[in-house]
Amino acid sequence: MKEKPEALEQAVLNEYKYGFVTDIHTDLIAKGLNEDTIRLISEKKNEPGWMLDWRLKAYAGWLKMEEPTWPNVKYPPIDYQDIIYYAAPKPKKQLNSLEEADPELLKTFEKLGISLNEQKRLTGVAVDVVMDSVSIGTSFKEQLSEIGVIFCSISEAIQQHPDLVKKYMGSVVPMTDNYFAALNSAVFTDGSFCFIPKGVRCPMELSTYFRINAENAGQFERTLIIAEDNAYVSYLEGCTAPMRDEHQLHAAVVELVALEKAEIKYSTVQNWYPGDKNGLGGIYNFVTKRGICKGDHSKISWTQVETGSAITWKYPSVILKGDHSIGEFYSVAFTNNHQQADTGTKMIHLGKNTRSRIVSKGISAGHSNNSYRGLVRASKQAANARNYSQCDSLLLGDKCGAHTFPYIEVKNKTAIVEHEATTSKIGEDQLFYCKQRGIDAETAVALIVNGFAKEVMNQLPMEFAVEAQKLLAISMEGSVG
Amino acid sequence: MLSIKNIHANIAGKEILKGINLDIKAGEVHAIMGPNGSGKSTLASVLAGREEFEVTEGEVEFAGKDLLELSTEDRAREGLFLAFQYPVEIPGVSTTNFIKAAVNEKRKYLGQEPLDAVSFLKKMKEKMALVEIDQSLLSRSINEGFSGGEKKRNEVFQMAMLEPKLAIMDETDSGLDIDALRIVANGINKLRSPERSILLITHYQRLLDYIQPDYVHVLYKGRIVRSGQKELALELEEKGYDFITDEVDLSLGL
């Protein structure tokens, strides 16, 4: 009856409940990447010439770049010729409403817990769904367009709103910003576009659901959100993928533009397949997310709950260009088994009286490695810039790692930057105390982890917070014996 | 309620308990006293099911069940409560949430519905008055930054909320000033009932001025070497442990 003392160290069996594959005909192109691949993607999407030129320019840039080696993650070399760059559920025809979508597809989304119809009716969340390379459908489009909000797939935006796309795409994340952003710029297949005109407070949460289904396919989506003067939008993003033994690449780009007094709140619950308990398979999540507070008094807030992916490499950042602008980054990153996460943020203070706040909570279990990497930069002009950073790490067991890499560059004497970091461990004493009160180890760990992550969870919109908490609980299953 | 027969227990290969026998009936209050290192806290830990301790011999029956066969959490759910000598801090988990989880885990085990928010709050209010504990303490992370007195009062509050059949109070009096001791002791006294047994573990007699035990046992070198009624505690206070321990050492040929 005596339990082994290493009970806490046994990080096993992370049951991934979204690991099913949808049996659906998929329009795939051959593996491999060259100029012809890009032409083919552009052609399949019936894109205008300027878009193709943009892609080819990015591709030329990418060819000259090197894959970054500075993140604190390890993986075998990626063969970029062994990836399918375009996969679309067939039949690919223009869908006017979700009801026209393939029933198999709709079933998939029901399994994922996003019954679109239900969600439409009950929560008033507008949803765009992207499966593999293309957008499956966007709900609530009409209601939104009545108030001038454009919410559609990026492919559609390229066709319907080329001026906006031309003006803003690549304005926050330049096409050759980094290796994976350049790759994305060359081969991105779909994603979401949203535009909130002057003075409009978007009355509902906008949401995109990303799903990788096809084998050997990479997902390269691109999201662009623009909030004009005095506009407000809250945007949610969720992601899942089937369980597969091979690693799959996901290299997305997200750009946010907030003009004067505009506010964008971007929340992510990332639950890509993390690989099995021995580290086999799982998604490489190499993502570039950046927002610019372009106008004075604007605000961008990133909230992320990261529980999935074999490797996560992402730094949602804010460029605080407008005076009095505010950037926020709230993150919970949970890693288990052999997962690796190198995530954090960049707060680039350019304007006067700009403020930023970073709250990062890293939780490591099993053999996983969890790194926070963050840059706070105050430029010469950034008078009275303020930053507060707090990075807390929680370790479950003693085979996992937590690391903090804060970079601070301050060029203005009036700027104030504060950084606090803590590392704690769930101890046997705490578990015994809980068990003596009738709370078993698993519930106890969930209680402690939720307490630890509460400050970030509180930032999530209500419906999402409940989902995220459940997700955290599922990810932790079996992380204690 | 509790019947301990010839319990032997080790930690890291060293035998600490060397054959303990003890019977506690429902409604009785027993005090276990003894010098430092006699095995008092070990006994509490073994009963609660702390994993570092290995029971090598003996049996324990608790409320008709084989206690040693139950997991730590099931012992708690069956109604065994341990008030910790050093209550553990759990950052980020509010005292209210912690107790709510504990109460509902127990209810689930007993096949009862979880308490709804209203009934839970009502129960909290009622028990708060009993142990004179402040609302503000309950919204703070459990035990984090609590004073010694607050920690002990919080233990008694949890005991009140969980309504155990058997409460083991491990040196609940240690580190308390006289006012805190009185409040804690009052709380425990109010929780005495004909259905509930209490085992007080203490080094000093002073706790027993406030809580009158039915029986007093002296633990020494892993054995109960003397049992009596509350007068035994007074005798110990007067003469010190030596008058008993010397005698025991002599009989053991030490």
Side-chain angles (χ1 to χ4, degrees):
Chain A
M1 84 128 265
K2 194 176 161 288
E3 281 180 64
K4 292 197 183 84
E6 66 266 26
L8 188 61
E9 297 158 20
Q10 288 178 348
V12 285
L13 275 177
N14 178 2
E15 293 288 346
Y16 186 75
K17 71 172 193 175
Y18 305 104
F20 58 87
V21 178
T22 304
D23 183 17
I24 193 163
H25 291 290
T26 309
D27 177 16
L28 299 168
I29 65 171
K31 281 180 185 174
L33 179 59
N34 52 46
E35 275 201 14
D36 289 339
T37 321
I38 293 163
R39 287 178 198 283
L40 186 61
I41 291 170
S42 191
E43 189 189 325
K44 280 201 178 271
K45 302 182 77 64
N46 202 18
E47 284 177 354
W50 59 267
M51 196 67 247
L52 176 63
D53 293 343
W54 201 82
R55 288 174 179 276
L56 291 172
K57 213 170 135 193
Y59 178 65
W62 179 72
L63 286 176
K64 290 185 215 130
M65 298 171 86
E66 303 241 336
E67 204 169 320
T69 52
W70 50 262
N72 187 27
V73 296
K74 287 190 194 76
Y75 57 93
I78 297 171
D79 182 355
Y80 291 92
Q81 298 305 331
D82 198 38
I83 294 172
I84 296 169
Y85 287 86
Y86 183 86
K90 266 195 267 192
K92 200 201 167 308
K93 60 164 184 173
Q94 194 64 43
L95 297 178
N96 293 319
S97 72
L98 283 170
E99 284 72 23
E100 290 176 32
D102 187 309
E104 271 297 310
L105 260 182
L106 293 178
K107 251 191 254 168
T108 298
F109 290 108
E110 231 149 270
K111 268 195 231 173
L112 294 170
I114 39 168
S115 159
L116 293 165
N117 291 320
E118 279 300 294
Q119 201 152 354
K120 251 159 97 174
R121 247 191 357 195
L122 297 174
T123 61
V125 176
V127 189
D128 182 25
V129 175
V130 177
M131 173 110 133
D132 292 329
S133 300
V134 297
S135 171
I136 305 300
T138 308
S139 61
F140 268 125
K141 209 188 272 183
E142 279 168 37
Q143 289 93 320
L144 288 168
S145 72
E146 278 167 25
I147 51 168
V149 172
I150 304 169
F151 181 42
C152 62
S153 69
I154 196 103
S155 308
E156 200 180 322
I158 291 166
Q159 309 286 347
Q160 310 287 332
H161 311 282
D163 294 345
L164 285 173
V165 175
K166 269 194 225 169
K167 184 170 175 191
Y168 290 109
M169 189 189 271
S171 72
V172 191
V173 179
M175 60 166 71
T176 51
D177 182 80
N178 66 69
Y179 191 78
F180 298 109
L183 179 64
N184 174 287
S185 301
V187 303
F188 76 90
T189 38
D190 220 329
S192 296
F193 174 82
C194 96
F195 175 83
I196 320 294
K198 265 183 200 174
V200 172
R201 266 190 85 83
C202 190
M204 58 183 82
E205 314 271 354
L206 300 186
S207 170
T208 297
Y209 209 89
F210 294 107
R211 169 89 181 157
I212 297 178
N213 189 55
E215 213 165 339
N216 296 318
Q219 189 172 37
F220 305 94
E221 87 267 357
R222 200 160 177 114
T223 298
L224 177 58
I225 300 174
I226 302 139
E228 285 198 324
D229 298 356
N230 290 302
Y232 166 85
V233 63
S234 167
Y235 185 89
L236 320 173
E237 174 198 78
C239 345
T240 57
M243 287 155 84
R244 296 194 190 281
D245 290 347
E246 310 83 28
H247 292 287
Q248 283 179 289
L249 179 62
H250 171 253
V253 170
V254 176
E255 296 177 283
L256 312 181
V257 181
L259 302 184
E260 206 175 307
K261 290 184 184 152
E263 182 178 347
I264 302 175
K265 193 173 158 62
Y266 193 104
S267 313
T268 304
V269 172
Q270 185 266 110
N271 185 28
W272 295 119
Y273 178 52
D276 73 1
K277 64 178 194 296
N278 299 313
L280 187 66
I283 303 290
Y284 291 160
N285 189 34
F286 300 154
V287 171
T288 306
K289 290 183 168 177
R290 193 177 302 155
I292 182 164
C293 285
K294 214 169 176 180
D296 294 349
H297 298 280
S298 55
K299 180 177 175 183
I300 289 179
S301 181
W302 297 101
T303 304
Q304 59 172 21
V305 175
E306 303 278 319
T307 60
S309 298
I311 302 179
T312 294
W313 178 96
K314 70 181 255 201
Y315 314 90
S317 306
V318 185
I319 301 168
L320 296 148
K321 187 160 180 275
D323 293 344
H324 307 280
S325 59
I326 299 173
E328 291 176 336
F329 174 74
Y330 295 95
S331 169
V332 172
F334 179 84
T335 53
N336 198 357
N337 299 318
H338 289 270
Q339 280 177 276
Q340 308 175 63
D342 192 304
T343 183
T345 184
K346 287 190 275 188
M347 291 292 172
I348 312 293
H349 293 257
L350 302 175
K352 293 183 195 65
N353 301 313
T354 46
R355 280 183 289 151
S356 64
R357 182 181 173 82
I358 299 169
V359 178
S360 163
K361 306 274 181 178
I363 304 154
S364 334
H367 292 82
S368 70
N369 250 310
N370 204 324
S371 304
Y372 166 81
R373 188 185 301 276
L375 168 68
V376 177
R377 178 186 292 155
S379 74
K380 249 188 217 159
Q381 303 80 30
N384 299 315
R386 293 273 184 286
N387 163 266
Y388 173 74
S389 303
Q390 188 189 330
C391 304
D392 299 325
S393 306
L394 182 67
L395 299 170
L396 279 65
D398 55 12
K399 292 191 178 66
C400 49
H403 316 271
T404 305
F405 304 99
Y407 305 86
I408 297 170
E409 298 170 13
V410 177
K411 299 214 169 83
N412 185 301
K413 279 182 192 157
T414 59
I416 299 176
V417 175
E418 279 179 87
H419 181 90
E420 283 179 30
T422 64
T423 302
S424 50
K425 197 179 157 183
I426 296 186
E428 296 290 342
D429 276 356
Q430 289 175 327
L431 285 185
F432 178 66
Y433 190 68
C434 292
K435 288 197 230 171
Q436 207 302 306
R437 298 299 185 251
I439 303 168
D440 60 49
E442 208 147 273
T443 310
V445 171
L447 206 61
I448 295 169
V449 167
N450 280 325
F452 177 76
K454 194 166 55 189
E455 196 181 346
V456 172
M457 294 299 203
N458 285 348
Q459 297 295 326
L460 289 171
M462 196 48 180
E463 312 85 340
F464 231 36
V466 175
E467 281 301 302
Q469 212 164 55
K470 273 192 223 154
L471 187 60
L472 209 52
I474 292 168
S475 307
M476 279 187 307
E477 248 164 49
S479 63
V480 287
Chain B
M1 182 68 75
L2 181 76
S3 169
I4 303 174
K5 289 200 179 75
N6 191 32
I7 278 293
H8 291 250
N10 289 349
I11 183 163
K14 187 171 181 258
E15 189 170 57
I16 309 283
L17 301 184
K18 301 171 181 171
I20 301 235
N21 292 287
L22 182 66
D23 271 294
I24 304 179
K25 295 196 175 65
E28 288 178 354
V29 175
H30 289 233
I32 290 195
M33 303 183 68
N36 287 329
S38 58
K40 299 188 300 281
S41 285
T42 299
L43 178 62
S45 294
V46 163
L47 292 176
R50 197 165 193 126
E51 285 143 22
E52 297 95 284
F53 295 91
E54 190 192 356
V55 176
T56 52
E57 220 185 307
E59 303 169 14
V60 183
E61 196 189 292
F62 170 61
K65 296 221 156 86
D66 182 349
L67 185 76
L68 300 180
E69 281 302 311
L70 297 174
S71 66
T72 305
E73 53 269 32
D74 283 350
R75 294 179 194 192
R77 294 162 184 165
E78 285 285 347
L80 184 147
F81 180 88
L82 172 63
F84 283 60
Q85 183 178 2
Y86 304 108
V88 182
E89 299 185 357
I90 309 179
V93 179
S94 77
T95 305
T96 305
N97 275 349
F98 179 81
I99 296 177
K100 197 171 180 189
V103 167
N104 284 333
E105 287 290 319
K106 182 176 176 181
R107 293 181 68 90
K108 192 163 84 186
Y109 179 82
L110 298 173
Q112 298 163 341
E113 289 291 307
L115 273 189
D116 62 81
V118 177
S119 327
F120 180 75
L121 276 176
K122 199 175 149 223
K123 189 167 177 165
M124 286 248 292
K125 286 249 158 69
E126 194 184 303
K127 307 292 183 185
M128 273 160 61
L130 204 65
V131 296
E132 301 178 46
I133 198 162
D134 200 54
Q135 173 76 56
S136 65
L137 205 63
L138 301 180
S139 49
R140 281 163 57 187
S141 291
I142 189 154
N143 294 323
E144 199 184 30
F146 286 21
S147 71
E150 286 170 333
K151 282 184 182 171
K152 296 297 170 77
R153 227 182 293 173
N154 185 27
E155 293 293 288
V156 178
F157 176 64
Q158 291 180 50
M159 170 181 164
M161 289 296 292
L162 289 166
E163 301 171 331
K165 292 184 187 129
L166 170 70
I168 304 165
M169 321 297 294
D170 190 5
E171 309 230 0
T172 298
D173 52 332
S174 70
L176 296 185
D177 62 33
I178 203 77
D179 292 329
L181 179 64
R182 191 160 41 222
I183 293 172
V184 166
N186 276 343
I188 298 172
N189 277 330
K190 285 180 198 158
L191 294 171
R192 285 178 83 152
S193 89
E195 294 82 40
R196 180 169 298 141
S197 311
I198 296 176
L199 181 58
L200 299 168
I201 292 175
T202 180
H203 186 80
Y204 301 104
Q205 195 272 336
R206 66 171 191 167
L207 178 67
L208 308 183
D209 288 340
Y210 297 95
I211 307 169
Q212 303 270 313
D214 300 302
Y215 298 95
V216 175
H217 311 275
V218 178
L219 190 64
Y220 181 59
K221 293 191 172 166
R223 292 187 186 89
I224 289 176
V225 292
R226 178 78 67 91
S227 294
Q229 292 183 322
K230 61 179 184 247
E231 294 73 23
L232 177 59
L234 295 169
E235 200 178 346
L236 282 169
E237 175 79 356
E238 197 183 317
K239 301 183 187 166
Y241 285 110
D242 294 352
F243 93 99
I244 292 175
T245 57
D246 286 353
E247 196 179 297
V248 172
D249 288 345
L250 203 67
S251 74
L252 288 171
L254 294 166

